Amino acid sequence: MKLPGKAKEVLGMALPAIGESYLQSLLGVADSFFIARLGLLAINAVGVTNMYSLTYVGVFTAISATLSVFLSRAFGAKNTEESKSVIFHGLLLSFIIGLLFSVISVVFAQPLLELTGADEHLRNTAIAYFKVVLGLTPFIALFAAQSASFRAIGDTKTPLRVGIEMNVVHVILDYLFIFGAGSLHGFGLTGAAIAMVLARVYGFIRLVIKSQRIPVIALNRNDFKIIGKLARSMIRFAVPATVERLSMRLGQVLYFGFIVRMGTDVYAAHNIAGTITTFSSTIGGGFAVAASTLIGQSIGRNNWSDVQEYRKWSYLQSAISMTVITAILASTSPWTGRFFTTNEQVIHLIMIVLFIDTLSQPFLASVTVDTSVVQASGNSKFPMVVTIIGIWLIRTLGVYIFAWRLDFGLLAVWGSIAVDNAFRAGLFMWYRRNRNVIKQLV
């Protein structure tokens, strides 16, 4: 079947973005592979650190989304001066927030680790890793922002290529700094932290070098100036986007606590199923990037007719792909589940929840794509409200009542997730039909 032109544009932009997301995940996989050889205590040290690093990444993602929305419009309008100014302000905002998180993480490392419930032995093991990884978060923030600048102008291939390079560098440095080689002594868990940060620094530098070859995003000294009106507009947009990401993360932390209390088998099944479903959810993220970029550029060109077309094809392709892949994962889970566990009860639970999740994929695709679409149209507040209502009043409350209090178990957890996705997809449908207003950003 021949795809229409707009569908091909969306697909061509989404595929590299999906590949980049998978490569980002490989950074964590490589770390887990090497760190596992250091023992369970080292694995747990990474786990308690990730409780904070994932939250920070959520904030950086929101700032990067802000940069992408503003830049795609300026690029579509062929306004090079504004494009460069948006990139500068996005990088500056990312660096400041990253520096703030860095200082807090280093100065308050002990109390932050205590909040995770880590005992003294685990805290002593994790402290160095914690300080290195979270103390150098400005580089992670800058890498995320610089990647967003390429995606906003429609170049999703360059971040993909740099991601491949970064993964190779990371694997090599991981081995050298953890275990050592020749006269170089390994640093154990601290070496893993150093390797991860250096790989991010490498990726950021490579993106900066490549950006200097593209006139529209190549920054020079004259671009390094703060424009109050633009800065205020970007901050106003970024705050709701950040709250939206944080509310999602905090809601997950809360209902994960209920799942932990349901028993080891239930929690294991939930985690394994969640890991497996990243293969489909990552696809939605790639199509969301394509939708945001192409819609932003269309608005910048004052080409309103293309906005609906890009949204339609982003949603249709993501919904079909995510549903088909999740259905395949569910059907093959009795075999693939054995890569994670030999517990028959856990494998059976994984299969059931994956089939429930298959039914939810069209709704999840809508939530993922439409969040980016509405943000690209200039409204970051509505997705924030939708996420807060869905995560806290539908998903978390549903898990508490049906899975925890009424003891319906893991099926009720994933049923609540499915209802949440359907509810939020319905709110976005209402918005498209009744409040589809494209707002000015500055």
Side-chain angles (χ1 to χ4, degrees), residues 38 172-194:
L38 300 176
I172 294 171
L173 293 180
D174 234 4
Y175 185 86
L176 290 177
F177 282 101
I178 293 175
F179 306 110
S183 59
L184 176 66
H185 296 289
F187 301 103
L189 189 60
T190 304
I194 295 171

Side-chain angles (χ1 to χ4, degrees), residues 377-416:
S377 71
N379 188 342
S380 61
K381 292 179 181 177
F382 186 76
M384 175 192 70
V385 172
V386 169
T387 297
I388 290 174
I389 294 173
I391 289 294
W392 289 93
L393 296 184
I394 305 296
R395 184 178 301 197
T396 303
L397 191 61
V399 171
Y400 174 73
I401 294 174
F402 296 103
W404 174 242
R405 299 298 297 179
L406 298 180
D407 200 25
F408 289 132
L410 195 60
L411 301 187
V413 172
W414 285 75
S416 298

Side-chain angles (χ1 to χ4, degrees), residues 346-423:
V346 171
I347 292 173
H348 182 68
L349 277 174
I350 292 170
M351 181 182 68
I352 294 174
V353 299
L354 286 179
F355 275 116
I356 293 173
D357 199 46
T358 300
L359 300 176
S360 178
Q361 290 307 297
F363 302 118
L364 178 59
S366 170
V367 171
T368 306
V369 170
D370 284 334
T371 296
S372 291
V373 168
V374 174
Q375 288 177 342
S377 71
N379 188 342
S380 61
K381 292 179 181 177
F382 186 76
M384 175 192 70
V385 172
V386 169
T387 297
I388 290 174
I389 294 173
I391 289 294
W392 289 93
L393 296 184
I394 305 296
R395 184 178 301 197
T396 303
L397 191 61
V399 171
Y400 174 73
I401 294 174
F402 296 103
W404 174 242
R405 299 298 297 179
L406 298 180
D407 200 25
F408 289 132
L410 195 60
L411 301 187
V413 172
W414 285 75
S416 298
I417 293 172
V419 172
D420 165 38
N421 288 330
F423 177 77

Side-chain angles (χ1 to χ4, degrees), residues 92-361:
L92 180 62
L93 184 59
S94 297
F95 178 77
I96 291 172
I97 299 298
L99 186 62
L100 176 63
F101 286 162
S102 174
V103 172
I104 291 172
S105 300
V106 173
V107 173
F108 301 103
Q110 281 288 354
L112 287 172
L113 282 169
E114 288 175 8
L115 283 175
T116 67
D119 59 29
E120 184 178 359
H121 193 29
L122 179 55
R123 291 199 302 271
N124 291 336
T125 302
I127 190 72
Y129 182 88
F130 187 93
K131 286 184 176 181
V132 173
V133 170
L134 301 184
L136 295 175
T137 48
F139 291 106
I140 298 175
L142 289 171
F143 175 79
Q146 191 67 64
S147 296
S149 68
F150 280 91
R151 290 192 292 268
I153 64 170
D155 182 0
T156 52
K157 293 180 180 178
T158 296
L160 173 63
R161 295 190 189 103
V162 171
I164 294 173
E165 294 177 24
M166 189 171 68
N167 271 270
V168 173
V169 170
H170 182 239
V171 170
I172 294 171
L173 293 180
D174 234 4
Y175 185 86
L176 290 177
F177 282 101
I178 293 175
F179 306 110
S183 59
L184 176 66
H185 296 289
F187 301 103
L189 189 60
T190 304
I194 295 171
M196 174 171 281
V197 172
L198 288 179
R200 297 283 187 180
V201 172
Y202 171 85
F204 172 65
I205 292 173
R206 287 289 291 148
L207 287 176
V208 170
I209 293 172
K210 287 181 175 292
S211 71
Q212 294 305 110
R213 301 170 187 166
I214 305 174
V216 73
I217 61 173
L219 300 183
N220 54 54
R221 189 177 301 175
N222 296 330
D223 301 314
F224 287 65
K225 56 185 178 183
I226 297 176
I227 300 173
K229 190 175 183 180
L230 177 59
R232 287 191 296 271
S233 297
M234 291 184 71
I235 291 171
R236 280 198 302 269
F237 189 95
V239 169
T242 301
V243 172
E244 190 264 336
R245 289 290 89 197
L246 288 177
S247 64
M248 170 75 80
R249 176 62 184 160
L250 292 174
Q252 288 175 334
V253 170
L254 183 60
Y255 74 75
F256 267 41
F258 297 135
I259 300 171
V260 169
R261 293 175 176 85
M262 295 178 197
T264 303
D265 286 357
V266 172
Y267 187 58
H270 178 77
N271 278 332
I272 294 170
T275 300
I276 292 173
T277 56
T278 56
F279 286 98
S280 58
S281 60
T282 298
I283 292 173
F287 281 103
V289 167
S292 178
T293 300
L294 292 169
I295 287 173
Q297 291 178 7
S298 296
I299 293 172
R301 293 191 298 267
N302 293 321
N303 192 343
W304 316 117
S305 61
D306 284 351
V307 171
Q308 291 299 329
E309 282 293 298
Y310 286 132
R311 187 270 163 194
K312 179 180 75 174
W313 289 112
S314 296
Y315 169 70
L316 286 175
Q317 291 181 93
S318 63
I320 293 170
S321 302
M322 292 167 68
T323 302
V324 169
I325 288 178
T326 308
I328 293 172
L329 292 171
S331 301
T332 57
S333 60
W335 298 276
T336 57
R338 298 184 188 282
F339 286 105
F340 300 92
T341 180
T342 56
N343 187 312
E344 292 297 333
Q345 182 179 353
V346 171
I347 292 173
H348 182 68
L349 277 174
I350 292 170
M351 181 182 68
I352 294 174
V353 299
L354 286 179
F355 275 116
I356 293 173
D357 199 46
T358 300
L359 300 176
S360 178
Q361 290 307 297

